[in-house]
Amino acid sequence: GQTATHFMPAKINLPSLAAAVSQCSACDLCQDATQAVFGEGNPDARIVVIGEQPGDQEDVQGKPFVGPAGQLLNECLSQAGIDRDEVYVTNTVKHFKFTQRGKRRLHQKPNSREIYACRPWLEAELSVVSPKVIVCLGATPSQALFGRDFRITKSRGVRLQTEWCDQTFATWHPAAVLRMPDESRRAQMQEQLVADLRVAVSHS
Ligand code: URA
C-alpha cells in the first residue's frame, strides 16, 4: 500500500509538511475526516509529545489536543512545570478515525496499516524538531515507535532509546485517565502521568 512518503514535499520544514499533509490520501481516513491535523507548538522544542490521532474537536478545529484530553494534557504539563507553548505536540495518525452514532462521532483506534501509512509524517516532524525527549501518550505512539509488543503498563516512565530520539518515554494517554471509571484509580493515573512528565522534563 501507499504511505505518506508519496506525499512528502521536496523541501522539508514544518510549514511545508503541514501543507503537504493536508493533501495526504495514503490511507482511507482522509475520506471521512474534516481535515488533517498536523503537529503544533514550539518548532525548537526540547520535548515532543505524541498522541494517538485527532479527536472530534481536533478534527473540527484542525489543531491537536484542543478537546477534553487536550485540557487534561495542558493541566498535567503545567503540574509537571512545563508550559504547553514550550513543547511540540503531535499525533501518530493525522486524520480522525470514527464511527457515526446518530449525531455523535465515536473515536476508533487506528489500525497498524493506518499507523504505518502515516508514520513518515511523524518521522519528518521528529527529524525537523529534533527533540531531546519524546513523550508517547498511550499505546498507539508507543507501539508505533517501539513495536507492537510494547505495553504501557509494563514500561511507562522508563527512559528508552529509539532511532528518532535517545530519550523516549511512554505514559498514560490523558483520554485513558478521563475514561477511568474508578475515581481513586483515575487520580492515581493522573499522578503517574504528571510524574512521568516530570522525569521527561528532567532529561530535557
Ligand atoms: N487524543 C489524541 O491522541 N490526540 C489529540 O489530538 C486529541 C485527543
Side-chain angles (χ1 to χ4, degrees):
Q2 209 169 49
T3 79
T5 305
H6 184 78
F7 301 88
M8 277 295 148
K11 192 167 189 297
I12 291 184
N13 52 53
L14 293 176
S16 74
L17 288 167
V21 79
S22 72
Q23 304 302 313
C24 185
S25 54
C27 75
D28 291 339
L29 297 183
C30 60
Q31 290 173 12
D32 294 326
T34 307
Q35 58 192 318
V37 176
F38 197 58
E40 188 185 63
N42 179 359
D44 302 313
R46 298 162 76 85
I47 303 175
V48 167
V49 177
I50 311 174
E52 180 181 78
Q53 60 167 342
D56 180 76
Q57 297 193 32
E58 289 78 14
D59 172 76
V60 173
Q61 294 185 42
K63 292 168 185 293
F65 282 103
V66 291
Q71 299 212 335
L72 182 57
L73 174 62
N74 293 350
E75 185 185 320
C76 290
L77 286 170
S78 114
Q79 286 174 352
I82 346 166
D83 219 73
R84 166 85 181 244
D85 306 334
E86 283 177 50
V87 304
Y88 182 86
V89 176
T90 191
N91 282 302
T92 312
V93 168
K94 295 339 191 208
H95 282 102
F96 181 35
K97 183 178 184 182
F98 62 93
T99 46
Q100 194 82 42
R101 286 275 177 281
K103 283 188 173 176
R104 280 168 43 91
R105 301 191 301 170
L106 299 184
H107 157 277
Q108 281 198 300
K109 237 179 157 34
N111 62 36
S112 47
R113 147 95 191 97
E114 291 149 354
I115 293 167
Y116 178 77
C118 206
R119 205 171 69 170
W121 297 122
L122 179 61
E123 292 181 321
E125 287 175 289
L126 292 173
S127 77
V128 172
V129 178
S130 186
K132 287 206 69 178
V133 169
I134 293 174
V135 178
C136 295
L137 301 175
T140 299
S142 305
Q143 292 181 349
L145 299 190
F146 296 111
R148 296 287 299 282
D149 294 337
F150 189 89
R151 293 290 174 269
I152 299 284
T153 45
K154 217 181 105 200
S155 303
R156 50 152 279 277
V158 179
R159 181 162 59 118
L160 297 164
Q161 204 167 356
T162 59
E163 62 179 282
W164 301 276
C165 185
D166 53 17
Q167 307 191 98
T168 302
F169 296 86
T171 188
W172 302 119
H173 194 296
V177 178
L178 291 174
R179 274 198 309 270
M180 173 52 64
D182 181 80
E183 196 179 317
S184 68
R185 176 69 182 132
R186 185 167 68 242
Q188 184 193 43
M189 286 172 78
Q190 182 167 344
E191 279 165 25
Q192 291 174 335
L193 205 173
V194 172
D196 294 342
L197 287 173
R198 283 209 183 96
V199 173
V201 173
S202 77
H203 285 87
S204 69

